[in-house]
Amino acid sequence: MRLVRQSHPSAQSAPHIIGLDDWARKRRLRYGTLICDLELGLPIDLLPDRSVKTVSAWLLKHPSIKVVSRDGSSEYASAIQKGAPQAVQVRDRWHLVKNLAACVSVQLTQSLMQLRRAEQAEAKTLDGQQPSPERQSHPRTRGSETSTTRSSSGANSSLRADDGTATARDEKH
């Protein structure tokens, strides 16, 4: 913190693209705002808090700002709207990747659960039990559909889609 406050702004005194992020003075209790010049990759200023009033006041003093990169904070969004309405707001890369990873994780978990249910339903079918209609699901691959159908209904039977229509393999036989 001391080094950031002691540093002198570069020759470019009017920043055009900045990044806002919070930093913890005391974790979970007191936070400040770090402002960086993203063109130069250097910190510009440290604000004592992350309130809308403080951030918007700083932005009003710097009318040259055209782009602000920020996290998903509604406080920062409001402060930018008040202090630099001309600026375009963008999400920062770190938060975008974090949100993307969370969404992919949820999707993969759901897909894995569906695959496990399908395997359990297939195992019950092979054991002679009929799974309930709402629990039935499609096999993972075309190969598993072929082997399951042939083993359960005989080698000479034709394959049918779930709706009873013939598949492409039926027309060859």
Side-chain angles (χ1 to χ4, degrees):
M1 242 174 28
R2 182 174 37 85
L3 294 174
V4 171
R5 289 199 172 139
Q6 287 176 354
S7 68
H8 298 288
S10 63
Q12 183 186 359
S13 61
H16 300 288
I17 302 173
I18 65 167
L20 296 177
D21 204 1
D22 40 80
W23 57 278
R25 283 185 169 191
K26 187 165 184 173
R27 194 174 192 112
R28 296 186 190 103
L29 296 176
R30 287 184 286 170
Y31 289 89
T33 299
L34 171 65
I35 302 174
C36 292
D37 184 331
L38 296 180
E39 290 176 303
L40 299 175
L42 297 172
I44 299 173
D45 204 353
L46 288 174
L47 304 179
D49 57 35
R50 57 182 178 186
S51 70
V52 172
K53 183 179 177 182
T54 304
V55 176
S56 63
W58 188 92
L59 291 169
L60 283 169
K61 294 177 187 175
H62 299 85
S64 63
I65 295 171
K66 294 182 177 32
V67 178
V68 180
S69 174
R70 64 175 181 84
D71 61 14
S73 168
S74 60
E75 288 182 7
Y76 285 151
S78 179
I80 296 166
Q81 191 62 34
K82 288 180 181 178
Q86 77 283 359
V88 175
Q89 297 184 38
V90 297
R91 291 298 275 302
D92 65 18
R93 187 180 339 174
W94 189 88
H95 287 93
L96 281 175
V97 171
K98 180 183 175 195
N99 292 343
L100 175 64
C103 290
V104 168
S105 177
V106 167
Q107 186 63 41
L108 289 175
T109 301
Q110 290 174 350
S111 297
L112 181 60
M113 287 177 12
Q114 289 174 348
L115 289 173
R116 286 183 179 160
R117 283 189 209 125
E119 287 175 351
Q120 290 170 353
E122 184 177 342
K124 286 181 181 179
T125 303
L126 291 177
D127 290 342
Q129 300 173 356
Q130 289 295 330
S132 61
E134 66 274 355
R135 290 268 184 188
Q136 281 184 330
S137 61
H138 299 285
R140 276 192 265 182
T141 63
R142 185 174 232 106
S144 63
E145 176 183 341
T146 304
S147 63
T148 304
T149 307
R150 284 188 180 159
S151 64
S152 63
S153 60
N156 294 330
S157 66
S158 61
L159 297 176
R160 298 280 174 193
D162 285 343
D163 61 357
T165 59
T167 62
R169 297 192 84 194
D170 288 338
E171 295 170 8
K172 291 181 182 177
H173 292 288

